[in-house]
Amino acid sequence: MIRRPVAWVVAVVLFAEALGVAMLNWIMGELVDAQNMSLAGLDPDAMSMSSKIGGVVFGLYFALCALVALLVAIRDRQPAGLGRVLLISAAVVHGVLGAVAWALIGWSQFLFMVVVLALIVLVLVTYDGRRGPATTAPQDPKDPGDPEELSGSPLTPPAAPTTP
């Protein structure tokens, strides 16, 4: 269906974004270092180094999110645990960056961020409720199954206790 191709697209886009963010911050750090720029009396070397470190950290974050999306595409299963949290946080980051892009840069960058946000959310939502591969053994309609298997939870929950 659509789940695997969307997960592949998200993985590719997040890998490209990881490289782009890391390169952009590295270039900005080099420009600050080459021009000896200072902001409110801050040390230019500290600004340059923090830009480079921030770019590497943010790039690694996006690469890790892309790795989660790649694993989702390969395994064809929903992300779980830390992977799900990473994809949700990436969706939130793209929502915030989209709002900032709309305010500061323009509608085309906003549109890109919203499309990436929608793809990430689509990966998270389309896999929802699908826990793994379905069983392939057909059930016999006359055989109700193992009595131990049926003795689990009742079909209707027990009545909740009430206080007078």
Side-chain angles (χ1 to χ4, degrees):
M1 289 193 60
I2 196 168
R3 290 183 291 253
R4 286 185 109 171
V6 169
W8 281 107
V9 168
V10 168
V12 169
V13 167
L14 286 177
F15 272 127
E17 223 174 338
L19 283 173
V21 165
M23 283 183 10
L24 179 67
N25 279 324
W26 192 272
I27 290 171
M28 287 174 55
E30 287 294 324
L31 288 175
V32 167
D33 196 29
Q35 294 184 2
N36 263 343
M37 292 180 180
S38 177
L39 180 68
L42 293 174
D43 183 30
D45 293 329
M47 288 177 55
S48 171
M49 186 59 66
S50 65
S51 175
K52 292 176 184 177
I53 290 172
V56 168
V57 168
F58 213 43
L60 288 174
Y61 165 71
F62 277 140
L64 188 60
C65 292
L67 181 66
V68 169
L70 184 66
L71 289 175
V72 165
I74 290 171
R75 294 177 181 166
D76 198 23
R77 284 187 296 177
Q78 69 180 355
L82 181 62
R84 188 166 185 84
V85 170
L86 278 172
L87 286 180
I88 290 170
S89 68
V92 170
V93 165
H94 280 86
V96 171
L97 288 177
V100 170
W102 178 268
L104 298 178
I105 302 172
W107 67 269
S108 60
Q109 289 78 13
F110 167 76
L111 185 64
F112 173 76
M113 287 295 164
V114 169
V115 166
V116 175
L117 167 68
L119 287 172
I120 293 172
V121 169
L122 192 60
V123 167
L124 289 168
V125 171
T126 56
Y127 281 95
D128 198 26
R130 190 166 176 236
R131 298 289 181 205
T135 60
T136 57
Q139 286 281 345
D140 185 13
K142 295 179 185 176
D143 182 25
D146 190 15
E148 291 177 6
E149 196 175 290
L150 293 176
S151 66
S153 63
L155 295 177
T156 56
T162 58
T163 57

